[in-house]
Amino acid sequence: MVYGLTEGNASMKALLGGKGANLAEMTRSGLPVPQGFTITTEACRAFFRSGNRIEDELLAQIQSALHKLEEETGQQLGDSESPLLVSVRSGSVTSMPGMMDTILNLGLNDDTVLGLAASTGNERFAYDCYRRLIQMFGNVVLGIESYHFEHQLHRLKKNAGAELDQDVTAEGWKNLIASYKSCIKLKTGRDFPQQVHEQLKLAVEAVFKSWNNNRARIYRNIHHIPHDQGTAVNVQRMVFGNKGDDCGTGVVFTRNPSTGDNELFGEYLVNAQGEDVVAGVRTPHSIAALKLAMPVIYEQLAQVCKRLERHYKDMQDIEFTVESGKLFVLQTRTGKRNAQAALKLAVDFVKEGLISREDALQRIEPSHLDQLLHRRIDESKVLDLLAVGLPASPGAAIGVAVFDADSAAEWKRSGRQVILIRPETTPEDIHGLLASEGVLTSRGGMTSHAAVVARGMGKPCVCGCEGVHIDLEARRMIAGENVIEEGDWITLDGASGRVIKGAVPLREAAVTAELLQMLEWADDIRKLGVYANADNPEDAETARSFGAEGIGLCRTEHMFFAPVRLAAMQRMIMADAKDERQSALDELLPMQQSDFEGIFQAMDGLPVTIRLLDPPLHEFLPKINELQRKLENAFRTEEKIQLAQMIRKVQTLHESNPMLGWRGCRLGIVYPEIYAMQIEAIFKAASACMDRGISVHSEIMIPLIGHASELMRLRELVDRIAEQVLRADRKGASGYKVGTMIEVPRAALTARQIANHADFFSFGTNDLTQMTLGYSRDDAEGKFLTHYLEHKVLAHNPFQALDTEGVGQLIEMAVTAGRSAKPSLKTGICGEHGGDKASIAFCHEIGLDYVSCSPYRVPMARIAAAQAAIEQRHRAELV
């Protein structure tokens, strides 16, 4: 359970932690690393299993490793003449900078401090180290809040007229040490431990325990780091950067983590220990200044940086200390970097021959692309956080608050930037979403209407923000003690779910040369096609500009909510007779045709999959309480009659569970004239575009099929209208496809029969997830799902990452069965999972032809598809 630094290597990261493995690797490479040993992650897990106590066997191994360290250094822990002092640091498997605890100068007590002073000839230095140990030990091991010690330090320096720690005399430190000891006795009822082996045992226990501190758990949740990894503990001989002016400490990145430029980046302090750089008490110097102050050390450090970067084939974040003119390397780890730096570093390393294109692609995270392709907040200007909701659509937006879609559209026309705030949005709010810079809802989840539409438009969205109360009548939002009136400025951060008071400056998105290069490499490797979900020509053009190879989902219901179209749609729904309904449909047909012509033109030569009308009809009508309010205030008899008719119709269309009600193909079978209008518009648009030399590849998707007989009936309708519109002699008349969206479990189970009538299967994973798990996505994410995730009932949100064991099994079964009946069957997914990295990997593994996602997620999907292909090849090579 304990390894010396000469016994490990980089491949033992899971056991030694990232820091311990790297220290061992650097030691084996001959770099100047202080001697020491690593207590393993397995020892940490054993500590927790035994009720937070160190077993005798581990304690014996620690003592044995300590004895070897004493032999190597010629010093002893607790020796009163030349004491060995050690640092005790955490070292998790996955880097968690600053999340866990460290103790320096361990081994000092009232006797050994005298020996340190005598052996170094520097009494001030010795007592400076002692007060640091007591402060860190008191905080980390004994649990005393840091401010108790900081307050006393501040008072000492003020009384002594000392601006910096270096100005405090040895006598000053002695007085402070006495005060610190009194503080520990007062707060804990015990003395600061003078027995140095007890110090070491307590320190190791404290570092183990810090694995479960609140900030570490939150960090792991954010970065999806397993909570059962545990942390290693690294014990090393102390080297001192605070002995004098020929000493110092610092942090250096081998390249600039903000830009990716090939230059050393970092800072250092003269005559200081490591925590001084982090604490911000003194202003550190740029690493470039070290070249002038200590040119020999700078050159040695530059060589170490180059050597470590080439060894690990990545940018390194290195901690170093200079003791009496000698350089020591305390740690190296892969450096954190922002999105643009990540791309530049990956591309540069390929050009420099350090890594392959495949390695470069594997290093790109989806969050990097979200940052690059959407505006983001200037974090330094964030002041007043109002609330945090679900990060439903990335990007940042500023605007004035408005509380209904009509106002949003009107204010936008007058030149104002607006944020639409609603308890939840419906399809009727589409014009408000279109007009707004971003959307905030107090209800709904990551796949709610607001989230899906916002992602498709590339607009920031925060959903399910239960920390705010939206008062629509008073037209204001209340967040704690803050009241946001209509017209007040707010900022949304869709990447983190934050709602911020006021207008925070934003940084613009940019498609860089490095991103274009990475996408080119990805396209050479990936097998999966990448399509986009787009409901209008503008979205289609955006999708194509991001490299989409087709439209995988065009939701026609989103085309009917413009005011002129909505009126005709409502007349169609209100019609009691077929001829009245047909009259309204005849009015809608040219509008639909125009939409489809625009999309076909934007996607010239690429497939366009159009889903026929899907949502429940009542969504196109006003809410019944709004109609009743209008009826109460109406004066004209004609208006009253019209409103009363509409109320009756809304009541007639009301369903207990509209998601499982009269929608999708069920609507087309009962009222075939509705689907006939859409199909005619598609083929008329195709014909008109082909006349203009545009290459059209139309694919008509029938939604919500559960029985093969449903698809058979509606396919006959499509084929009949195609024959009427396109005629047999029309070039390309047979070029269209008819398929279905598999979103009902029965459709997946009977896929073989359904495939006999389909050219393609498109899996609507949003609804398929709902129906398979029995979760209402809006209610689940707003109610129990958060609890499930926090308490590990579920590993992932199934509406964000595909449930491969359940929903995924249905998809795989349906693909296999469908292709057994029709080997040429085209398959893909068009739900929100089409933009999720893990879900894309699953789609690649089961042999789907494509994924479809929102236009702004196309670049990420292209890279994720390449990553999936690379990972599959690596697995095959291992076998």
Side-chain angles (χ1 to χ4, degrees):
M1 288 186 285
V2 181
Y3 284 75
L5 296 189
T6 58
E7 298 176 305
N9 58 61
S11 69
M12 300 171 68
K13 186 176 179 181
L15 186 65
L16 302 179
K19 186 179 296 179
N22 286 337
L23 287 171
E25 190 77 4
M26 289 191 294
T27 298
R28 291 162 62 92
S29 299
L31 289 173
V33 177
Q35 303 99 314
F37 56 88
T38 297
I39 306 168
T40 65
T41 57
E42 175 53 36
C44 177
R45 292 189 288 270
F47 171 79
F48 291 130
R49 287 195 299 269
S50 62
N52 287 10
R53 57 183 293 270
I54 292 180
E55 299 281 6
D56 290 344
E57 181 185 355
L58 175 58
L59 198 58
Q61 289 190 34
I62 292 172
Q63 289 300 325
S64 175
L66 177 63
H67 181 65
K68 290 179 182 176
L69 177 60
E70 289 173 334
E71 288 180 342
E72 290 173 8
T73 60
Q75 296 176 300
Q76 278 193 318
L77 194 71
D79 181 63
S80 59
E81 294 185 3
S82 181
L84 172 67
L85 304 183
V86 296
S87 63
V88 182
R89 298 170 181 258
S90 62
S92 57
V93 177
T94 307
S95 179
M96 295 169 55
M99 294 301 109
M100 290 177 292
D101 292 325
T102 291
I103 299 167
L104 303 179
N105 307 311
L106 190 140
L108 283 173
N109 59 22
D110 292 349
D111 291 331
T112 58
V113 70
L114 298 173
L116 181 64
S119 63
T120 61
N122 191 335
E123 186 182 38
R124 190 209 149 276
F125 156 73
Y127 283 97
D128 178 25
C129 292
Y130 194 17
R131 66 93 185 176
R132 289 172 185 269
L133 168 64
I134 297 172
Q135 180 172 346
M136 295 181 90
F137 197 94
N139 174 234
V140 172
V141 179
L142 304 178
I144 302 171
E145 294 286 350
S146 293
Y147 71 84
H148 291 292
F149 300 109
E150 293 294 342
H151 176 71
Q152 293 189 42
L153 174 60
H154 177 74
R155 185 171 57 191
L156 166 71
K157 287 161 71 173
K158 184 178 180 181
N159 292 340
E163 184 178 347
L164 303 174
D165 290 357
Q166 289 84 342
D167 300 330
V168 179
T169 63
E171 289 303 314
W173 290 138
K174 290 177 185 178
N175 292 333
L176 185 64
I177 288 165
S179 298
Y180 279 1
K181 288 179 178 178
S182 298
C183 177
I184 288 174
K185 181 73 171 179
L186 179 66
K187 297 294 180 184
T188 67
R190 61 176 293 180
D191 292 318
F192 171 77
Q194 294 291 308
Q195 217 291 330
V196 293
H197 290 276
E198 181 189 7
Q199 288 180 11
L200 179 58
K201 178 175 179 290
L202 291 172
V204 172
E205 289 177 347
V207 175
F208 279 158
K209 289 175 184 176
S210 73
W211 173 255
N212 284 323
N213 69 39
N214 192 49
R215 66 180 184 271
R217 294 193 70 85
I218 291 172
Y219 187 93
R220 291 199 295 274
N221 285 335
I222 291 172
H223 296 280
H224 307 292
I225 299 170
H227 290 290
D228 60 358
Q229 275 186 354
T231 182
V233 177
N234 300 286
V235 180
Q236 286 178 276
R237 173 176 71 85
M238 280 294 300
V239 289
F240 299 100
N242 60 329
K243 275 186 173 181
D245 290 341
D246 60 349
C247 305
T249 189
V251 176
V252 62
F253 289 80
T254 57
R255 305 204 182 196
N256 189 313
S258 297
T259 64
D261 290 342
N262 191 358
E263 61 186 11
L264 296 188
F265 178 92
E267 52 194 20
Y268 77 101
L269 280 172
V270 172
N271 196 12
Q273 283 198 342
E275 71 268 24
D276 296 333
V277 178
V278 179
V281 178
R282 294 167 57 191
T283 303
H285 306 293
S286 161
I287 205 73
L290 186 64
K291 193 171 187 177
L292 296 175
M294 301 179 181
V296 174
I297 293 295
Y298 178 87
E299 187 56 38
Q300 291 174 355
L301 182 62
Q303 291 302 315
V304 166
C305 288
K306 185 178 295 185
R307 185 171 168 183
L308 287 174
E309 186 176 88
R310 294 203 162 273
H311 182 82
Y312 288 102
K313 302 183 188 302
D314 205 349
M315 178 184 77
Q316 295 298 291
D317 169 2
I318 301 166
E319 293 180 18
F320 68 92
T321 286
V322 179
E323 181 185 74
S324 304
K326 183 177 180 181
L327 175 68
F328 290 92
V329 183
L330 306 184
Q331 175 176 321
T332 189
R333 59 189 171 204
T334 301
K336 302 291 184 186
R337 76 265 339 242
N338 68 14
Q340 174 52 28
L343 286 167
K344 180 171 172 53
L345 287 169
V347 171
D348 284 355
F349 285 146
V350 171
K351 292 178 179 177
E352 293 169 24
L354 276 182
I355 61 175
S356 68
R357 294 179 178 186
E358 288 81 359
D359 292 333
L361 284 163
Q362 291 292 77
R363 293 182 180 185
I364 303 304
E365 293 295 328
S367 59
H368 291 153
L369 300 180
D370 277 344
Q371 286 181 41
L372 279 180
L373 299 175
H374 296 85
R375 291 195 297 177
R376 57 192 186 277
I377 283 175
D378 183 346
E379 294 293 345
S380 65
K381 301 296 192 300
V382 175
L383 298 175
D384 298 319
L385 182 66
L386 294 173
V388 179
L390 297 172
S393 181
I398 57 175
V400 294
V402 295
F403 293 93
D404 69 85
D406 291 339
S407 295
E410 183 181 339
W411 288 29
K412 173 71 172 179
R413 283 194 295 271
S414 67
R416 304 181 74 179
Q417 292 176 253
V418 300
I419 300 289
L420 178 62
I421 302 174
R422 301 285 293 167
E424 60 192 348
T425 65
T426 68
E428 196 173 9
D429 294 319
I430 191 72
H431 59 298
L433 271 74
L434 190 62
S436 64
E437 304 296 314
V439 186
L440 168 64
T441 69
S442 58
R443 295 195 290 267
M446 300 286 282
T447 52
S448 64
H449 174 265
V452 171
V453 175
R455 276 196 292 273
M457 294 178 174
K459 292 179 184 287
C461 178
V462 176
C463 283
C465 191
E466 296 182 348
V468 302
H469 171 67
I470 298 170
D471 188 338
L472 293 179
E473 289 192 10
R475 307 190 75 77
R476 64 185 179 186
M477 176 178 76
I478 301 166
E481 297 180 356
N482 292 283
V483 177
I484 302 297
E485 304 283 356
E486 190 159 56
D488 289 347
W489 285 87
I490 65 168
T491 301
L492 296 185
D493 181 12
S496 66
R498 289 177 296 173
V499 184
I500 303 161
K501 187 176 182 180
V504 178
L506 304 182
R507 295 181 175 178
E508 292 299 322
V511 177
T512 64
E514 289 81 13
L515 175 56
L516 293 174
Q517 179 66 82
M518 294 294 287
L519 290 170
E520 183 182 318
W521 292 340
D523 292 341
D524 289 340
I525 292 170
R526 65 183 169 88
K527 307 299 182 186
L528 270 175
V530 177
Y531 292 8
N533 302 339
D535 307 328
N536 54 63
E538 294 75 24
D539 285 352
E541 289 173 3
T542 299
R544 188 156 194 167
S545 73
F546 282 131
E549 298 166 303
I551 300 300
L553 176 62
C554 173
R555 294 158 288 207
T556 54
E557 57 272 10
H558 290 176
M559 298 174 170
F560 293 111
F561 290 102
V564 175
R565 299 181 181 203
L566 184 59
M569 191 68 175
Q570 288 177 344
R571 284 199 304 277
M572 188 273 289
I573 296 168
M574 296 288 295
D576 292 321
K578 184 175 180 178
D579 57 343
E580 293 177 16
R581 186 159 45 252
Q582 189 61 56
S583 174
L585 290 169
D586 290 343
E587 189 177 337
L588 288 168
L589 189 148
M591 302 176 189
Q592 282 272 269
Q593 179 179 336
S594 175
D595 291 330
F596 297 141
E597 285 186 33
I599 293 173
F600 288 147
Q601 182 173 332
M603 303 306 292
D604 184 4
L606 299 178
V608 175
T609 307
I610 299 169
R611 184 177 72 185
L612 301 184
L613 195 65
D614 184 33
L617 288 180
H618 76 270
E619 289 192 2
F620 291 100
L621 299 177
K623 298 285 187 288
I624 196 162
N625 56 348
E626 295 176 11
L627 292 171
Q628 287 170 337
R629 189 164 55 248
K630 288 181 180 179
L631 180 60
E632 291 169 4
N633 297 325
F635 293 104
R636 293 184 297 109
T637 302
E638 183 182 345
E639 184 183 5
K640 288 182 178 181
I641 293 171
Q642 186 181 17
L643 286 166
Q645 288 176 335
M646 195 171 283
I647 289 171
R648 283 196 298 273
K649 194 67 176 183
V650 172
Q651 290 171 334
T652 301
L653 291 171
H654 173 76
E655 295 176 301
S656 298
N657 192 337
M659 290 302 293
L660 300 179
W662 192 17
R663 51 173 283 218
C665 67
R666 302 156 196 171
L667 174 69
I669 288 172
V670 177
Y671 289 140
E673 59 269 26
I674 296 176
Y675 274 12
M677 179 276 290
Q678 291 193 289
I679 296 164
E680 183 179 352
I682 290 170
F683 287 128
K684 282 188 171 181
S687 180
C689 286
M690 285 188 287
D691 285 342
R692 301 201 302 271
I694 295 168
S695 178
V696 176
H697 299 272
S698 58
E699 302 186 355
I700 297 175
M701 181 194 292
I702 313 296
L704 217 71
I705 292 292
H707 292 257
S709 59
E710 292 173 319
L711 183 58
M712 179 185 71
R713 285 170 180 259
L714 291 170
R715 168 135 207 173
E716 289 172 354
L717 178 66
V718 174
D719 291 340
R720 185 169 65 252
I721 296 173
E723 177 64 22
Q724 292 169 0
V725 175
L726 295 175
R727 304 297 178 195
D729 60 348
R730 163 65 66 183
K731 187 178 181 182
S734 62
Y736 68 90
K737 286 183 170 67
V738 179
T740 182
M741 179 179 280
I742 304 287
E743 50 196 321
V744 176
R746 190 184 189 281
L749 295 169
T750 61
R752 183 179 178 84
Q753 297 95 301
I754 291 173
N756 289 319
H757 310 285
D759 300 317
F760 66 88
F761 284 172
S762 177
F763 293 90
T765 53
N766 297 346
D767 276 356
L768 190 57
T769 297
Q770 283 197 108
M771 295 190 192
T772 303
L773 274 77
Y775 293 173
S776 163
R777 58 191 174 196
D778 289 350
D779 291 332
E781 288 187 317
K783 303 295 186 299
F784 64 87
L785 195 51
T786 301
H787 181 89
Y788 269 36
L789 296 171
E790 287 177 353
H791 292 83
K792 304 302 177 187
V793 178
L794 296 177
H796 305 286
N797 182 335
F799 296 111
Q800 294 177 28
L802 192 68
D803 165 34
T804 56
E805 294 179 346
V807 179
Q809 187 179 166
L810 282 175
I811 295 173
E812 191 169 7
M813 287 168 56
V815 171
T816 302
R819 285 179 175 164
S820 70
K822 186 174 288 186
S824 62
L825 187 74
K826 181 179 178 181
T827 60
I829 68 168
C830 60
E832 286 301 300
H833 300 95
D836 171 69
K837 179 181 175 180
S839 305
I840 290 169
F842 176 78
C843 292
H844 173 87
E845 287 171 13
I846 65 170
L848 295 190
D849 294 305
Y850 69 91
V851 296
S852 188
C853 56
S854 69
Y856 289 86
R857 303 195 83 178
V858 166
M860 189 283 293
R862 291 163 66 187
I863 287 177
Q867 291 172 335
I870 295 165
E871 287 163 7
Q872 186 181 58
R873 188 166 71 243
H874 286 171
R875 287 194 299 271
E877 289 169 354
L878 288 175
V879 173

